[in-house]
Amino acid sequence: MSAEAADREAATSSRPCTPPQTCWFEFLLEESLLEKHLRKPCPDPAPVQLIVQFLEQASKPSVNEQNQVQPPPDNKRNRILKLLALKVAAHLKWDLDILEKSLSVPVLNMLLNELLCISKVPPGTKHIDMDLATLPPTTAMAILLYNRWAVRTIVQSSFPVKQAKPGPPQLSVMNHMQQEKELTENILKVLKEQASDSILVLEAALKLNKDLYVHTMRTLDLLAMEPGMVNGETESFTAGLKIKTEEMQCQVCYDLGAAYFQQGSTSSAVYENAREKFFRTKELIAEIGSLSLHCTIDEKRLAGYCQACDVLVPSSDSTSQQLTPYSQVHICLRSGNYQEVIKIFIEDNLTFSLPVQFRQSVLRELFQKAQQGHEALDEICFKVCACNTVRDILEGRTISVQFNQLFLRPNKEKIDFLLEVCSRSITLEKPSESLKGNMAAFLKNVCLGLEDLQYVFMISSHELFITLLKDEERKLLVDQMRKRSPRVNLCIKPVTSFYDIPASASVNIGQLEHQLILSVDPWRIRQILIELHGMTSERQFWTVSNKWEVPSVYSGVILGIKDNLTRDLVYILMAKGLHCSIVKDFSHAKQLFAACLELVTEFSPKLRQVMLNEMLLLDIHTHEAGTGQSGERPPSDLISRVRGYLEMRLPDIPLRQVIAEECVAFMLNWRENEYLTLQVPAFLLQSNPYVKLGQLLAATIKELPGPKESRRTAKDLWEVVVQICSVSSQHKRGNDGRVSLIKQRESTLGIMYRSELLSFIKKLREPLVLTIILSLFVKLHNVREDIVNDITAEHISIWPSSIPNLQSVDFEAVAITVKELVRYALSINPNNYSWLIIQADIYFATNQYSAALHYYLQAGAVCSDFFNKAVPPDVYTDQVIKRMIKCCSLLNCHTQVAILCQFLREIDYKTAFKSLQEQNSHDAMDSYYDYIWDVTILEYLTYLHHKRGETDKRQIAIKAIGQTELNASNPEEVLQLAAQRRKKKFLQAMAKLYF
């Protein structure tokens, strides 16, 4: 060993484990810890900062002995720094969106040039002269990345940039900023000169019909090796990260479209090319899906580009009827045909095709022209504003300030036009209830805001007003307007002292209404309402607070009560009782419901039954939140009332679905399976989907102990859930005759929707019921043909192993449901080992290996008193152990892999020996040797360390072999005890590491 090498080894051995903050990049460089750093959840420094620092260090000029500045030397250190920068970019999957957002133009230019260099693109060669089809895939992809960045940078440079506020002047900072600005301008100048070549390169890429590959951290490492060690792997057509042809073309089309659109300002014919590329991008996104891993397109921006192209380049053979509304409005504004704009807006009030923001922007443009002296536009502004206001109220938004300002001085023409817009914006043949209600409320508010009764009668006598409002509502409104006193002119009224003004009736009413909102005492609420009705008979006091909400199935019955006082009292008592129940104030809720029940018993059997149902639901919630949490069974009369509700067959009684849902969940939670299985009336199974679901669950649980052939109910339950998770596809035949898929909806053939099923399951707490449901969804998840790693669950064998029509099942929704159900189940009981195994399998299947190990270890810990007892073999099965082995292997914890190989029923020596051969291990290595009890593995370790010349580690392995309790001559009980003790210590050490 040379003196220089000895000095370097001594310095390495004495280096602290934690790097100083000032030389972290040196630490990453010398210790090869880059990959470990990037795997951290929030690495500091961030990946993009690493790229900047690596390239800055690599590009530092050197100074010779004569103090002359020289270019950066091409030495090993600088080459490694550049390689590390490329590896960080590979970790970010060469996502230009991320790189452009965080790196300056000079840094990104340097990075991509290094990529071209390492991808064997000859320097000085024009990319347009290279045939992409004949190049290796990684080389072609490097050229595409560079030219995509080139055109994107040119486009980005054309956008206005908001200047940052300068901080305190610092000479060094200002010099650096000026240098970077000059460098950026020089690079942009070169890129613009080569823009035509870059566009031609990208156009040529669209003709490729093969998948490309981009460099990964592994392929970059291979390229850095000696030429003889690579064996041509990086030249193969499967090296690197695969980029599908469609993904590549989608990105290229989008970037070309943006480039053509930017050039269109000088040549309008280029907009046609932009339009073609953007619409091709939309087609490709529809093919590959918006969730592509390697193709990230801003779809909102793409939609904006497409709309702009539609306006700027309308098809030459299209008529005005074929133009989009955007194009029509744009053409009308340019030609000054404002009446046509108003016509388009009125028609759009029926279709809602134009975004509200676009309509508002048109109004703003007209306002600006009117303020510049175009007085003739004042009337147009009011008409456009009226059209926008009607659109707003139809969609349930508030009236704009502009409309109120323009309508301060109404006249006959304005009211006529407003009524015309309202009439043409709603179809009276089949209007929805929400549209009718919004339009009626708007017309009433307009009337109430008018002082001149003549204008009021113009509106109230209009056909639309008569159609939308009932006779009683119209008469009441007209009477209110007639009785209303004219406004007082405060300018000529003498000012009186504040204390001389007596309290008016409206003040007293306001105070009582405030008390009404705050009170939860039924007797006090009744007294306040009697006082209020004594003061005025024109108010509906159930509308005082918008927080008072009564289910729509009840409100129609309550608001049909003829006596105003009784109607207000019933509505308010029920609304307050429901609110108290939601916030778990059960005592006040019971008082309010009891008072309401007593009141309605006198005159309405229908409302009496409604209140009895609500009080049943309240009692269920009270028990579940109280003694039920400690496991105390509910009283028998509560169970009888639940049965009575489920069997109720009273006609015309408004029912809330949630009560049936809670009742069935209540019966399942308290194991009333006998009733659900045998005693439920047949009509209930047909009419109530929750009862049907509960009956199937209860029967499935009852059949569990029997043979598999007798589990017919399990098959019925399986078919019900599969139907719920199915989707129905809608198709459309295009102009070319091809049938294309538009969208998939939840199938309406199931007994309920998936969201309703999930809501019902989250009301269950019985472990066996939750386990059955979980195993069903896990089995449904595993049925997919493309599943690589199955999820395991208890009782999974009771379900069918196939589905006749796989395409009909929404497996993405099934996967989401499994995750939500496991999360909910663990919130009920975080120590259920079978649920923990399911959670671990989910993380394993989604490549989250550290989290998977956490839950595998937790499952073993909860059933073995933190590993002080042996983990049952039905918990740590061979499959679970093999998955733990794979997790450790992929986390580069190779010594842990070897130890876990001993846990298998038949020790996997091949995997153990292969893992021990790995020298780049991220675990504690020789400190784990005390946990190995298999002498064969310890003997192999001794041989391996001897072969490598690792004397210290060999001695540790020999010491482990020499322990007397591992002597092969010992009785079997002694050997098993030694193995069990080492298992316990190893699993406890692993738990401390991953918990």
Side-chain angles (χ1 to χ4, degrees):
M1 181 185 296
S2 66
E4 180 183 353
D7 290 342
R8 185 165 59 251
E9 182 174 344
T12 304
S13 63
S14 61
R15 186 183 297 115
C17 295
T18 304
Q21 187 65 26
T22 56
C23 60
W24 52 263
F25 61 89
E26 294 280 352
F27 186 75
L28 292 176
L29 170 64
E30 296 180 19
E31 297 289 343
S32 301
L33 296 178
L34 178 64
E35 294 182 33
K36 186 174 181 180
H37 177 77
L38 293 175
R39 280 200 299 270
K40 293 179 181 178
C42 297
D44 183 19
V48 286
Q49 294 174 335
L50 287 174
I51 294 176
V52 174
Q53 295 291 346
F54 286 144
L55 293 179
E56 282 184 356
Q57 292 297 320
S59 60
K60 272 188 177 179
S62 61
V63 180
N64 61 14
E65 295 177 356
Q66 289 79 29
N67 288 330
Q68 295 175 336
V69 178
Q70 301 290 330
D74 186 20
N75 54 26
K76 181 178 180 181
R77 178 181 180 276
N78 285 350
R79 286 195 296 273
I80 293 177
L81 282 168
K82 292 175 183 178
L83 178 66
L84 290 175
L86 291 170
K87 289 175 73 174
V88 176
H91 169 74
L92 297 173
K93 294 185 171 56
W94 300 99
D95 191 333
L96 287 180
D97 289 333
I98 297 175
L99 296 174
E100 288 172 340
K101 184 178 180 181
S102 307
L103 300 180
S104 64
V105 171
V107 172
L108 193 46
N109 179 58
M110 189 187 308
L111 178 72
L112 292 175
N113 274 298
E114 288 300 329
L115 175 64
L116 292 173
C117 181
I118 205 167
S119 300
K120 301 180 181 178
V121 177
T125 305
K126 285 189 174 183
H127 296 168
I128 190 63
D129 297 331
M130 304 181 74
D131 185 3
L132 296 178
T134 61
L135 294 175
T138 50
T139 305
M141 195 64 202
I143 292 173
L144 283 187
L145 272 172
Y146 179 87
N147 287 281
R148 280 185 58 217
W149 168 75
V151 298
R152 287 162 67 107
T153 304
I154 294 169
V155 171
Q156 192 64 34
S157 68
S158 67
F159 297 153
V161 179
K162 183 179 179 181
Q163 297 295 330
K165 293 183 178 179
Q170 297 181 9
L171 187 60
S172 60
V173 174
M174 293 176 67
N175 287 339
H176 176 75
M177 291 175 63
Q178 183 61 29
Q179 289 175 5
E180 186 174 84
K181 182 180 179 182
E182 292 174 357
L183 191 54
T184 301
E185 290 174 353
N186 291 335
I187 293 171
L188 276 173
K189 182 179 178 182
V190 174
L191 293 179
K192 289 177 180 177
E193 290 173 355
Q194 300 173 351
S196 58
D197 286 351
S198 293
I199 289 174
L200 289 174
V201 169
L202 296 180
E203 287 283 3
L206 294 179
K207 300 174 183 177
L208 292 176
N209 57 358
K210 65 176 183 177
D211 296 335
L212 297 183
Y213 292 80
V214 68
H215 280 301
T216 61
M217 298 178 80
R218 170 173 168 73
T219 58
L220 290 169
D221 277 335
L222 291 171
L223 286 170
M225 292 182 184
E226 296 297 329
M229 299 174 65
V230 178
N231 297 326
E233 184 174 347
T234 58
E235 296 291 331
S236 75
F237 281 79
T238 58
L241 182 65
K242 182 178 179 180
I243 308 295
K244 293 183 178 179
T245 307
E246 295 82 7
E247 292 177 325
M248 178 271 291
Q249 290 183 352
C250 185
Q251 292 173 321
V252 170
C253 277
Y254 180 74
D255 294 336
L256 279 174
Y260 287 139
F261 192 91
Q262 185 251 343
Q263 293 176 356
S265 57
T266 56
S267 173
S268 58
V270 183
Y271 280 128
E272 190 64 42
N273 291 337
R275 176 192 174 121
E276 177 188 344
K277 292 296 182 287
F278 286 133
F279 280 83
R280 177 58 182 156
T281 304
K282 289 179 69 174
E283 292 174 2
L284 288 168
I285 289 175
E287 290 178 17
I288 64 179
S290 58
L291 298 179
S292 170
L293 293 176
H294 310 303
C295 179
T296 54
I297 302 294
D298 186 345
E299 294 190 35
K300 289 186 178 178
R301 194 175 187 87
L302 174 62
Y305 272 129
C306 291
Q307 290 172 3
C309 289
D310 271 341
V311 171
L312 295 168
V313 196
S315 300
S316 58
D317 59 342
S318 62
T319 63
S320 60
Q321 283 77 20
Q322 294 172 318
L323 291 173
T324 64
Y326 292 97
S327 303
Q328 294 179 38
V329 172
H330 183 75
I331 293 169
C332 292
L333 289 175
R334 284 192 299 184
S335 62
N337 188 0
Y338 301 117
Q339 294 299 331
E340 187 64 24
V341 173
I342 294 168
K343 180 183 175 183
I344 294 170
F345 276 23
I346 293 174
E347 292 172 354
D348 183 66
N349 284 350
L350 290 170
T351 60
F352 295 176
S353 59
L354 290 174
V356 175
Q357 295 82 359
F358 174 74
R359 295 173 61 128
Q360 290 172 348
S361 68
V362 172
L363 180 59
R364 282 195 299 271
E365 182 178 339
L366 294 173
F367 268 130
Q368 290 172 359
K369 290 183 178 180
Q371 291 170 358
Q372 292 169 1
H374 297 77
E375 295 181 358
L377 288 180
D378 290 340
E379 181 185 352
I380 299 298
C381 287
F382 168 78
K383 290 185 175 182
V384 172
C385 185
C387 294
N388 287 353
T389 300
V390 172
R391 166 74 178 273
D392 287 338
I393 64 104
L394 287 174
E395 292 187 308
R397 287 186 292 274
T398 56
I399 299 173
S400 65
V401 176
Q402 292 99 327
F403 178 80
N404 288 326
Q405 290 175 340
L406 294 172
F407 207 64
L408 275 176
R409 296 181 179 178
N411 53 39
K412 184 178 181 300
E413 290 72 25
K414 287 184 176 180
I415 292 176
D416 279 338
F417 179 79
L418 184 61
L419 289 171
E420 179 188 356
V421 174
C422 292
S423 301
R424 293 172 59 185
S425 299
I426 186 170
T427 54
L428 294 175
E429 291 78 18
K430 291 183 180 179
S432 69
E433 291 300 319
S434 61
L435 292 181
K436 284 171 61 179
N438 291 342
M439 185 66 79
F442 172 68
L443 293 176
K444 284 170 65 177
N445 287 333
V446 171
C447 289
L448 291 170
L450 293 171
E451 293 182 5
D452 194 332
L453 288 178
Q454 176 189 353
Y455 296 147
V456 175
F457 290 131
M458 281 179 63
I459 297 175
S460 62
S461 60
H462 194 272
E463 180 185 356
L464 178 65
F465 190 89
I466 295 170
T467 305
L468 295 178
L469 277 80
K470 297 178 182 177
D471 291 341
E472 295 80 10
E473 292 178 301
R474 283 186 279 115
K475 289 177 182 177
L476 181 62
L477 178 64
V478 174
D479 290 339
Q480 282 180 301
M481 299 302 299
R482 282 175 176 162
K483 293 176 184 177
R484 192 173 61 181
S485 59
R487 294 181 181 176
V488 179
N489 189 346
L490 296 178
C491 297
I492 61 173
K493 185 177 181 180
V495 178
T496 57
S497 170
F498 175 81
Y499 296 100
D500 294 334
I501 302 174
S504 65
S506 62
V507 174
N508 292 331
I509 290 174
Q511 291 173 347
L512 288 171
E513 287 177 345
H514 182 67
Q515 294 177 29
L516 184 65
I517 291 171
L518 298 178
S519 179
V520 288
D521 180 6
W523 183 87
R524 180 59 185 150
I525 292 169
R526 179 175 177 274
Q527 290 298 112
I528 293 171
L529 283 172
I530 291 172
E531 290 183 48
L532 287 170
H533 278 274
M535 291 177 157
T536 175
S537 60
E538 298 177 356
R539 294 285 302 278
Q540 295 179 335
F541 293 102
W542 60 271
T543 62
V544 165
S545 173
N546 59 4
K547 302 293 184 183
W548 294 341
E549 295 181 356
V550 169
S552 57
V553 291
Y554 298 160
S555 59
V557 181
I558 295 173
L559 297 180
I561 299 173
K562 293 182 179 180
D563 181 68
N564 293 342
L565 173 59
T566 306
R567 179 194 61 214
D568 289 346
L569 184 55
V570 172
Y571 189 99
I572 293 171
L573 288 174
M574 178 176 281
K576 284 178 173 287
L578 290 171
H579 174 74
C580 288
S581 178
I582 291 170
V583 298
K584 301 189 184 304
D585 185 1
F586 299 121
S587 60
H588 280 124
K590 194 156 190 173
Q591 292 176 18
L592 291 159
F593 281 165
C596 192
L597 175 63
E598 182 182 354
L599 177 63
V600 300
T601 301
E602 300 174 1
F603 66 92
S604 176
K606 186 182 294 187
L607 284 175
R608 177 181 179 277
Q609 188 59 52
V610 165
M611 292 313 305
L612 288 172
N613 296 343
E614 289 297 329
M615 292 185 76
L616 170 63
L617 181 60
L618 176 64
D619 289 342
I620 291 174
H621 287 162
T622 304
H623 180 267
E624 296 293 320
T627 56
Q629 288 189 332
S630 60
E632 182 179 334
R633 281 189 63 81
S636 57
D637 70 310
L638 181 56
I639 295 175
S640 298
R641 288 167 59 199
V642 170
R643 290 184 179 185
Y645 175 83
L646 292 175
E647 297 172 10
M648 183 176 61
R649 296 188 70 176
L650 295 176
D652 301 326
I653 299 295
L655 300 174
R656 279 210 295 160
Q657 195 73 12
V658 69
I659 303 180
E661 188 179 346
E662 289 281 358
C663 285
V664 176
F666 177 86
M667 300 295 278
L668 287 170
N669 285 334
W670 295 107
R671 296 176 289 281
E672 291 292 324
N673 297 332
E674 196 71 22
Y675 171 79
L676 289 171
T677 306
L678 301 175
Q679 300 175 29
V680 173
F683 77 90
L684 268 182
L685 299 177
Q686 303 299 325
S687 61
N688 194 318
Y690 296 102
V691 175
K692 175 71 174 175
L693 190 62
Q695 188 260 345
L696 289 173
L697 281 168
T700 301
I701 291 170
K702 186 178 178 182
E703 292 175 357
L704 274 181
K708 187 174 181 181
E709 295 76 22
S710 66
R711 298 172 187 158
R712 287 173 295 181
T713 314
K715 184 179 179 182
D716 294 340
L717 179 58
W718 168 267
E719 290 173 355
V720 165
V721 174
V722 168
Q723 195 69 59
I724 292 172
C725 295
S726 295
V727 291
S728 58
S729 303
Q730 293 185 350
H731 295 80
K732 177 182 178 182
R733 188 174 297 278
N735 295 331
D736 56 357
R738 290 185 297 178
V739 176
S740 60
L741 180 67
I742 299 177
K743 63 166 61 175
Q744 292 186 327
R745 300 176 180 269
E746 279 192 70
S747 174
T748 56
L749 299 177
I751 62 174
M752 63 181 70
Y753 288 109
R754 186 181 65 88
S755 58
E756 294 173 335
L757 173 62
L758 191 59
S759 172
F760 170 72
I761 295 171
K762 288 185 177 180
K763 292 179 171 61
L764 300 173
R765 293 181 294 100
E766 172 60 22
L768 184 54
V769 178
L770 286 173
T771 299
I772 291 296
I773 294 171
L774 266 174
S775 69
L776 191 156
F777 274 95
V778 166
K779 183 66 175 182
L780 186 56
H781 173 272
N782 291 345
V783 167
R784 290 177 65 174
E785 295 176 343
D786 57 344
I787 286 294
V788 177
N789 298 307
D790 282 356
I791 301 173
T792 56
E794 269 190 294
H795 308 301
I796 199 169
S797 61
I798 69 174
W799 310 112
S801 57
S802 62
I803 299 174
N805 187 6
L806 280 174
Q807 292 77 16
S808 66
V809 179
D810 187 353
F811 284 108
E812 290 184 7
V814 171
I816 293 169
T817 304
V818 171
K819 293 176 183 177
E820 288 190 35
L821 290 181
V822 175
R823 195 179 305 117
Y824 169 71
L826 289 175
S827 72
I828 297 296
N829 181 7
N831 294 325
N832 187 303
Y833 74 86
S834 67
W835 299 346
L836 290 167
I837 292 289
I838 294 174
Q839 181 68 82
D841 283 348
I842 291 172
Y843 280 124
F844 181 85
T846 54
N847 304 329
Q848 300 178 68
Y849 301 113
S850 180
L853 272 175
H854 170 92
Y855 281 96
Y856 283 133
L857 290 167
Q858 192 174 340
V862 298
C863 61
S864 64
D865 192 19
F866 197 69
F867 305 112
N868 286 308
K869 302 175 185 176
V871 180
D874 59 337
V875 178
Y876 275 1
T877 61
D878 272 7
Q879 179 177 336
V880 170
I881 297 298
K882 286 177 181 178
R883 291 188 172 185
M884 292 174 71
I885 288 171
K886 185 172 182 181
C887 289
C888 292
S889 176
L890 292 168
L891 293 172
N892 285 339
C893 298
H894 301 296
T895 314
Q896 295 173 8
V897 171
I899 297 171
L900 284 171
C901 286
Q902 303 172 109
F903 283 65
L904 297 168
R905 292 179 184 176
E906 293 183 10
I907 299 176
D908 187 355
Y909 289 110
K910 181 180 178 181
T911 303
F913 292 168
K914 185 178 179 181
S915 66
L916 292 172
Q917 290 171 8
E918 296 285 343
Q919 292 182 287
N920 185 23
S921 185
H922 293 170
D923 56 23
M925 298 184 70
D926 46 62
S927 65
Y928 279 118
Y929 290 177
D930 285 340
Y931 304 134
I932 301 175
W933 64 86
D934 183 84
V935 176
T936 305
I937 294 177
L938 287 170
E939 287 175 347
Y940 180 77
L941 272 171
T942 306
Y943 159 75
L944 199 62
H945 290 316
H946 174 72
K947 182 180 178 182
R948 293 174 180 169
E950 298 168 339
T951 308
D952 293 340
K953 293 181 179 180
R954 178 172 176 271
Q955 289 302 321
I956 295 172
I958 292 173
K959 182 181 177 182
I961 295 176
Q963 297 177 82
T964 56
E965 57 188 353
L966 298 183
N967 193 319
S969 302
N970 287 337
E972 186 65 25
E973 295 81 8
V974 174
L975 293 174
Q976 287 182 3
L977 187 62
Q980 189 57 43
R981 191 160 59 86
R982 284 164 174 75
K983 281 184 181 180
K984 166 191 166 182
K985 289 184 177 181
F986 172 69
L987 290 173
Q988 287 177 341
M990 289 277 284
K992 290 177 183 177
L993 184 63
Y994 287 97
F995 281 2

